[in-house]
Each structure stands twice: as C-alpha cells, then as structure tokens.
Amino acid sequence: RLRLVLEATEQRIGMVQAKTITDQILEKTSDSSEKDLKVGTPSLPPWARQIRKGTKVEYFWNEVEGWCKGEVSEDPVMVVDELIITVLFDDGTTVRLPFQGDEKARWRPGGM
C-alpha cells in the first residue's frame, strides 16, 4: 500500500511542479500574441522575397553533405506558394530546388 501511495504522491507532485513551471513561463511572456498558436500553412521567411539572381544562399542538403553554399543563377519563379530557385553550388553543380514555407529550415542567406 505504501508503494501505491508514494507513486500517486510522486505523480501529483510532478503535475504541480509542471504547472508551476508553465505558469512561470507564461508570466515571462508579456506579449499575448506570443502565446497564440499559429495554425495554417507556414509562410516563407521575409528574406526569401528578396532572392534574385546573384544572391548567395546556403541549403541544407542532408546529414552527410550538411550546409552547401551556392549562388542563385536565375531569377526565382513563384509557383503557387513556393519559389523555384536555381542554385549553382560551389562544387559546380546546378540544381533547381523548391523553397516552401514548410521547408524553410533548409535554407538560409549565404554567409551565415
């Protein structure tokens, strides 16, 4: 019985501590818009709209290749909600890649 009581008490204390931590985080967040959950299709970052021919970019290819540096070799084309960007990578390879809001973590401005 004692073991069951201790387990129930530990769970109760754990929930109280979690609620306390959550309340502390919410108190530190002064702007109510930061607390709102944003639902919908992710949008492109603001810097993506400035990409033109000659812009330096970096693209996260995969875990093996990592971040690959390149230069935009043609003006991007907007197709529905994605940019089609032609990149000449530093290794000489030219690839046409989609830049979508849900994959924006794979892209960053060159020189970061």
Side-chain angles (χ1 to χ4, degrees):
R1 282 190 200 175
L2 182 56
R3 186 172 299 162
L4 292 174
V5 170
L6 286 174
E7 287 175 5
T9 305
E10 285 178 2
Q11 289 176 355
R12 179 80 173 160
I13 290 171
M15 292 300 288
V16 169
Q17 288 175 337
K19 180 158 179 29
T20 302
I21 291 169
T22 302
D23 290 342
Q24 290 171 352
I25 291 170
L26 289 175
E27 286 174 14
K28 290 180 182 177
T29 307
S30 60
D31 185 9
S32 64
S33 67
E34 292 179 11
K35 298 176 189 176
D36 293 336
L37 177 63
K38 294 183 173 53
V39 179
T41 305
S43 60
L44 292 172
W47 69 269
R49 306 259 182 229
Q50 300 170 1
I51 296 175
R52 301 285 178 262
K53 182 178 178 180
T55 303
K56 302 282 187 190
V57 294
E58 295 181 21
Y59 181 78
F60 189 81
W61 201 259
N62 58 35
E63 293 293 327
V64 175
E65 299 296 325
W67 287 101
C68 300
K69 296 179 180 184
E71 182 177 316
V72 177
S73 60
E74 298 175 8
D75 282 329
V77 177
M78 182 64 106
V79 177
V80 186
D81 61 347
E82 69 181 16
L83 281 174
I84 305 299
I85 302 176
T86 305
V87 180
L88 172 60
F89 288 100
D90 289 355
D91 68 357
T93 306
T94 300
V95 181
R96 196 170 265 148
L97 298 164
F99 190 165
Q100 302 167 322
D102 59 350
E103 288 194 347
K104 60 186 169 188
R106 296 185 81 163
W107 292 88
R108 65 184 183 191
M112 290 192 75

